[in-house]
C-alpha cells in the first residue's frame, strides 16, 4: 500500500513567507540605535548652543546636520559597496553616537557645528546602508509589510526619543542627554556581528550609481512624489508651533504628536495593502489626504481643524512613505543601495527645502497662507502618477 504524504513543496508555495525572522529582529536593534542617536539630541543641541551663548550655532546646528546627512547619503552606496553592511553600519553608529560626548567638555560654536556634521554623516550611513540591508532581509513578495515593520519600530522610537531628550535636558541638564545618546547608540554595535557582512551582490558599479538611478523615470517619479510630501513636513514641524502661539498649548503639542503617530500607523497599513493589491494604487490616496490635511492646518483658530488636519496629513504621509519606497525597491531589486540613497535624500532635501522656502513666505503672507500654499504646492505631484505601473 502506498502512503500518501503531503507534499512539502506544494505546501510551501501557498504559505506566505515569514517577515519577522531572526535576521530582521537583529536588524531592528541597529534601527533603534540609529533612531535614538539621531532624535534624542535633535532638539537638545540647538538649546545647548543657545544656552552656551551662540544664537548662530543654535540656528545652524540642525542645518549642518541635515546638509551633512544629504551629502553623506549620496556617497554611502559606494562606501557600503566597498566595506559591506557590517562595517558600514558600525561606522555609521559610531559617527552618530560617539561625538556627542565631546559636547560635554566643549560648548564652543565650532565644536557644536563640527559634531553636527559628523553626526549627519553617521546618520546617512545608517539610513542608506541599513535601508538596503532591510530590503534584502525581507521576502520580495512581502517587502512592503517588512519595510512597514521597520518603519514602525523606527517611528515609535523617534516619537519617544525626541520629546524625551528635551524633557531630560530640562530636568537633569545637557550632559546626561549627550552621554545617554552615546551609550544607547553605541550599544547597538553589539548586534552588528550577527548581520550579513556583504554589500549588494552585484558589486559597486550597479549599486553606487545614484545619478544613474535618478535618470531612471521609474525611480525618479516616486522619489519626486515623496519629496513633495516631505517638503510639507518641513513646513509643518517648523511653523505649526509658531502659528499657534496664543492658542492653548495643548493644540500644538497634540498636533505634533498625532502627525508622526498617524504616519507610523499608516506605514503598516500601506505595507499590508500594498503587498496584497499593489503599492502604486495607494499613491493617489496618500496625496489627497496629505493635501487636505495641510490645507486644514490653515484654520489655526479651530483646534479640531488643526488636530484633524495633522491626523489626515500624517495618514497620507505614512502611505506615501511606505508606498514610494516599496515601489522603488520593487522596480530596482538589484540596486538596493542606490534606491535607499535616492529615497533618503528626497526625504531630507524635501524637508530642508520646505522649511527654507516657507521661511521667506511667512513674512510676506503669514502662517495661514503658507499652509494653503504648501497644500497647493503638492498638487503637481498628481501629474507624476499618470501612467504609473500598477
Amino acid at each position: 500500500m502506498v502512503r500518501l504524504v503531503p507534499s512539502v513543496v506544494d505546501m510551501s508555495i501557498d504559505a506566505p513567507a515569514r517577515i519577522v525572522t531572526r535576521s530582521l529582529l537583529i536588524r531592528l536593534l541597529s534601527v533603534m540605535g540609529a533612531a535614538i542617536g539621531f532624535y534624542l539630541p535633535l532638539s537638545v543641541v540647538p538649546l545647548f548652543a543657545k544656552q552656551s551663548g551662540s544664537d548662530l550655532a543654535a540656528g545652524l546646528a540642525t542645518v549642518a546636520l541635515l546638509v551633512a546627512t544629504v551629502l553623506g547619503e549620496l556617497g554611502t552606496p559606494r562606501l557600503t559597496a566597498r566595506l559591506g553592511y557590517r562595517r558600514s553600519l558600525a561606522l555609521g553608529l559610531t559617527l552618530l553616537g560617539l561625538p556627542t560626548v565631546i559636547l560635554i567638555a566643549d560648548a564652543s560654536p565650532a565644536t557644536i557645528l563640527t559634531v553636527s556634521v559628523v553626526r549627519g554623516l553617521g546618520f546617512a550611513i545608517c539610513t542608506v546602508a541599513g535601508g538596503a540591508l532591510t530590503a534584502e532581509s525581507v521576502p520580495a513578495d512581502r517587502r512592503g509589510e517588512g519595510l512597514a515593520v521597520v518603519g514602525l519600530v523606527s517611528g515609535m522610537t523617534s516619537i519617544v526619543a525626541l520629546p524625551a531628550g528635551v524633557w531630560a535636558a530640562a530636568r537633569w541638564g545637557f550632559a546626561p542627554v549627550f552621554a545617554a545618546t552615546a551609550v544607547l547608540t553605541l550599544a547597538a554595535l553589539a548586534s552588528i556581528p550577527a548581520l550579513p557582512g556583504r554589500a549588494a551582490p552585484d558589486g559597486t558599479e550597479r549599486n553606487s550609481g545614484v545619478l544613474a538611478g535618478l535618470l531612471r523615470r521609474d525611480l525618479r517619479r516616486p522619489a519626486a512624489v515623496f519629496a513633495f510630501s516631505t517638503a510639507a513636513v518641513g513646513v509643518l514641524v517648523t511653523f505649526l508651533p509658531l502659528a499657534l502661539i496664543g492658542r492653548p498649548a495643548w493644540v500644538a503639542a497634540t498636533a505634533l504628536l498625532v502627525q508622526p503617530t498617524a504616519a507610523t500607523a499608516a506605514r503598516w497599513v500601506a505595507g499590508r495593502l500594498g503587498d496584497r493589491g499593489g503599492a502604486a494604487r495607494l499613491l493617489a490616496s496618500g496625496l489627497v489626504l496629505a493635501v487636505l490635511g495641510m490645507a486644514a492646518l490653515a484654520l489655526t483658530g479651530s483646534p479640531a481643524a488643526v488636530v484633524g488636519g495633522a491626523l489626515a496629513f500624517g495618514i497620507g504621509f505614512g502611505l506615501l512613505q511606505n508606498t514610494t519606497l516599496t515601489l522603488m525597491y520593487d522596480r530596482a531589486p538589484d540596486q538596493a543601495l542606490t534606491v535607499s540613497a535616492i529615497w533618503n535624500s528626497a526625504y531630507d532635501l524635501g524637508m530642508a527645502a520646505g522649511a527654507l522656502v516657507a521661511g521667506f513666505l511667512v513674512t510676506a503672507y503669514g502662517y495661514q497662507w503658507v499652509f494653503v500654499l504648501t497644500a497647493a504646492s503638492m498638487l503637481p505631484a498628481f501629474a507624476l502618477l499618470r501612467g504609473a505601473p500598477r
Side-chain angles (χ1 to χ4, degrees), residues 255-269:
L256 293 177
L257 177 64
V258 164
Q259 186 270 319
T261 303
T264 301
R267 289 192 70 174
W268 170 257
V269 175

PDB file of all heavy atoms in Angstrom, residues 255-269:
ATOM      1  N   ALA A 255      -1.134  68.132  18.015  1.00  0.00           N
ATOM      2  CA  ALA A 255      -0.959  68.012  16.564  1.00  0.00           C
ATOM      3  C   ALA A 255       0.393  67.411  16.217  1.00  0.00           C
ATOM      4  O   ALA A 255       0.501  66.548  15.330  1.00  0.00           O
ATOM      5  CB  ALA A 255      -1.110  69.378  15.908  1.00  0.00           C
ATOM      6  N   LEU A 256       1.445  67.843  16.923  1.00  0.00           N
ATOM      7  CA  LEU A 256       2.786  67.335  16.645  1.00  0.00           C
ATOM      8  C   LEU A 256       2.969  65.894  17.113  1.00  0.00           C
ATOM      9  O   LEU A 256       3.889  65.216  16.657  1.00  0.00           O
ATOM     10  CB  LEU A 256       3.834  68.234  17.306  1.00  0.00           C
ATOM     11  CG  LEU A 256       3.947  69.650  16.716  1.00  0.00           C
ATOM     12  CD1 LEU A 256       4.967  70.467  17.502  1.00  0.00           C
ATOM     13  CD2 LEU A 256       4.339  69.598  15.241  1.00  0.00           C
ATOM     14  N   LEU A 257       2.124  65.433  18.014  1.00  0.00           N
ATOM     15  CA  LEU A 257       2.142  64.029  18.415  1.00  0.00           C
ATOM     16  C   LEU A 257       1.297  63.183  17.474  1.00  0.00           C
ATOM     17  O   LEU A 257       1.682  62.071  17.084  1.00  0.00           O
ATOM     18  CB  LEU A 257       1.640  63.882  19.846  1.00  0.00           C
ATOM     19  CG  LEU A 257       1.529  62.448  20.378  1.00  0.00           C
ATOM     20  CD1 LEU A 257       2.903  61.793  20.441  1.00  0.00           C
ATOM     21  CD2 LEU A 257       0.883  62.438  21.761  1.00  0.00           C
ATOM     22  N   VAL A 258       0.149  63.715  17.069  1.00  0.00           N
ATOM     23  CA  VAL A 258      -0.767  62.974  16.204  1.00  0.00           C
ATOM     24  C   VAL A 258      -0.152  62.719  14.836  1.00  0.00           C
ATOM     25  O   VAL A 258      -0.277  61.614  14.276  1.00  0.00           O
ATOM     26  CB  VAL A 258      -2.097  63.745  16.063  1.00  0.00           C
ATOM     27  CG1 VAL A 258      -2.919  63.219  14.884  1.00  0.00           C
ATOM     28  CG2 VAL A 258      -2.910  63.642  17.343  1.00  0.00           C
ATOM     29  N   GLN A 259       0.521  63.718  14.269  1.00  0.00           N
ATOM     30  CA  GLN A 259       1.049  63.586  12.904  1.00  0.00           C
ATOM     31  C   GLN A 259       2.037  62.414  12.760  1.00  0.00           C
ATOM     32  O   GLN A 259       1.831  61.534  11.915  1.00  0.00           O
ATOM     33  CB  GLN A 259       1.689  64.896  12.460  1.00  0.00           C
ATOM     34  CG  GLN A 259       2.133  64.908  11.001  1.00  0.00           C
ATOM     35  CD  GLN A 259       3.556  64.421  10.822  1.00  0.00           C
ATOM     36  OE1 GLN A 259       4.428  64.767  11.630  1.00  0.00           O
ATOM     37  NE2 GLN A 259       3.814  63.634   9.788  1.00  0.00           N
ATOM     38  N   PRO A 260       3.110  62.330  13.551  1.00  0.00           N
ATOM     39  CA  PRO A 260       4.022  61.196  13.368  1.00  0.00           C
ATOM     40  C   PRO A 260       3.429  59.864  13.788  1.00  0.00           C
ATOM     41  O   PRO A 260       3.767  58.818  13.223  1.00  0.00           O
ATOM     42  CB  PRO A 260       5.229  61.578  14.230  1.00  0.00           C
ATOM     43  CG  PRO A 260       4.695  62.522  15.245  1.00  0.00           C
ATOM     44  CD  PRO A 260       3.600  63.277  14.564  1.00  0.00           C
ATOM     45  N   THR A 261       2.536  59.895  14.786  1.00  0.00           N
ATOM     46  CA  THR A 261       1.902  58.639  15.207  1.00  0.00           C
ATOM     47  C   THR A 261       1.022  58.083  14.093  1.00  0.00           C
ATOM     48  O   THR A 261       1.056  56.879  13.797  1.00  0.00           O
ATOM     49  CB  THR A 261       1.070  58.867  16.479  1.00  0.00           C
ATOM     50  OG1 THR A 261       1.897  59.405  17.511  1.00  0.00           O
ATOM     51  CG2 THR A 261       0.461  57.558  16.953  1.00  0.00           C
ATOM     52  N   ALA A 262       0.237  58.965  13.475  1.00  0.00           N
ATOM     53  CA  ALA A 262      -0.617  58.539  12.362  1.00  0.00           C
ATOM     54  C   ALA A 262       0.224  58.064  11.187  1.00  0.00           C
ATOM     55  O   ALA A 262      -0.128  57.073  10.515  1.00  0.00           O
ATOM     56  CB  ALA A 262      -1.517  59.691  11.931  1.00  0.00           C
ATOM     57  N   ALA A 263       1.336  58.746  10.919  1.00  0.00           N
ATOM     58  CA  ALA A 263       2.205  58.345   9.814  1.00  0.00           C
ATOM     59  C   ALA A 263       2.796  56.963  10.059  1.00  0.00           C
ATOM     60  O   ALA A 263       2.873  56.131   9.139  1.00  0.00           O
ATOM     61  CB  ALA A 263       3.318  59.378   9.623  1.00  0.00           C
ATOM     62  N   THR A 264       3.209  56.705  11.285  1.00  0.00           N
ATOM     63  CA  THR A 264       3.792  55.405  11.613  1.00  0.00           C
ATOM     64  C   THR A 264       2.767  54.289  11.448  1.00  0.00           C
ATOM     65  O   THR A 264       3.066  53.225  10.889  1.00  0.00           O
ATOM     66  CB  THR A 264       4.328  55.422  13.053  1.00  0.00           C
ATOM     67  OG1 THR A 264       5.324  56.456  13.178  1.00  0.00           O
ATOM     68  CG2 THR A 264       4.949  54.085  13.418  1.00  0.00           C
ATOM     69  N   ALA A 265       1.538  54.523  11.937  1.00  0.00           N
ATOM     70  CA  ALA A 265       0.487  53.513  11.787  1.00  0.00           C
ATOM     71  C   ALA A 265       0.119  53.310  10.326  1.00  0.00           C
ATOM     72  O   ALA A 265      -0.111  52.174   9.872  1.00  0.00           O
ATOM     73  CB  ALA A 265      -0.744  53.935  12.590  1.00  0.00           C
ATOM     74  N   ALA A 266       0.076  54.407   9.553  1.00  0.00           N
ATOM     75  CA  ALA A 266      -0.305  54.303   8.141  1.00  0.00           C
ATOM     76  C   ALA A 266       0.746  53.537   7.338  1.00  0.00           C
ATOM     77  O   ALA A 266       0.411  52.883   6.343  1.00  0.00           O
ATOM     78  CB  ALA A 266      -0.501  55.696   7.549  1.00  0.00           C
ATOM     79  N   ARG A 267       1.996  53.612   7.747  1.00  0.00           N
ATOM     80  CA  ARG A 267       3.032  52.836   7.050  1.00  0.00           C
ATOM     81  C   ARG A 267       2.735  51.338   7.146  1.00  0.00           C
ATOM     82  O   ARG A 267       2.934  50.597   6.182  1.00  0.00           O
ATOM     83  CB  ARG A 267       4.414  53.136   7.640  1.00  0.00           C
ATOM     84  CG  ARG A 267       4.944  54.513   7.332  1.00  0.00           C
ATOM     85  CD  ARG A 267       6.403  54.650   7.678  1.00  0.00           C
ATOM     86  NE  ARG A 267       7.242  53.871   6.773  1.00  0.00           N
ATOM     87  CZ  ARG A 267       8.566  53.908   6.781  1.00  0.00           C
ATOM     88  NH1 ARG A 267       9.206  54.681   7.636  1.00  0.00           N
ATOM     89  NH2 ARG A 267       9.268  53.172   5.931  1.00  0.00           N
ATOM     90  N   TRP A 268       2.281  50.911   8.304  1.00  0.00           N
ATOM     91  CA  TRP A 268       1.949  49.493   8.475  1.00  0.00           C
ATOM     92  C   TRP A 268       0.769  49.102   7.588  1.00  0.00           C
ATOM     93  O   TRP A 268       0.794  48.066   6.914  1.00  0.00           O
ATOM     94  CB  TRP A 268       1.638  49.236   9.950  1.00  0.00           C
ATOM     95  CG  TRP A 268       1.052  47.878  10.200  1.00  0.00           C
ATOM     96  CD1 TRP A 268      -0.243  47.566  10.437  1.00  0.00           C
ATOM     97  CD2 TRP A 268       1.759  46.640  10.227  1.00  0.00           C
ATOM     98  NE1 TRP A 268      -0.392  46.215  10.616  1.00  0.00           N
ATOM     99  CE2 TRP A 268       0.815  45.618  10.490  1.00  0.00           C
ATOM    100  CE3 TRP A 268       3.101  46.292  10.061  1.00  0.00           C
ATOM    101  CZ2 TRP A 268       1.175  44.288  10.588  1.00  0.00           C
ATOM    102  CZ3 TRP A 268       3.457  44.949  10.164  1.00  0.00           C
ATOM    103  CH2 TRP A 268       2.498  43.969  10.424  1.00  0.00           C
ATOM    104  N   VAL A 269      -0.255  49.945   7.581  1.00  0.00           N
ATOM    105  CA  VAL A 269      -1.424  49.676   6.739  1.00  0.00           C
ATOM    106  C   VAL A 269      -1.021  49.649   5.268  1.00  0.00           C
ATOM    107  O   VAL A 269      -1.455  48.780   4.494  1.00  0.00           O
ATOM    108  CB  VAL A 269      -2.518  50.736   6.984  1.00  0.00           C
ATOM    109  CG1 VAL A 269      -3.685  50.539   6.016  1.00  0.00           C
ATOM    110  CG2 VAL A 269      -3.016  50.665   8.423  1.00  0.00           C
TER     111      VAL A 269
END
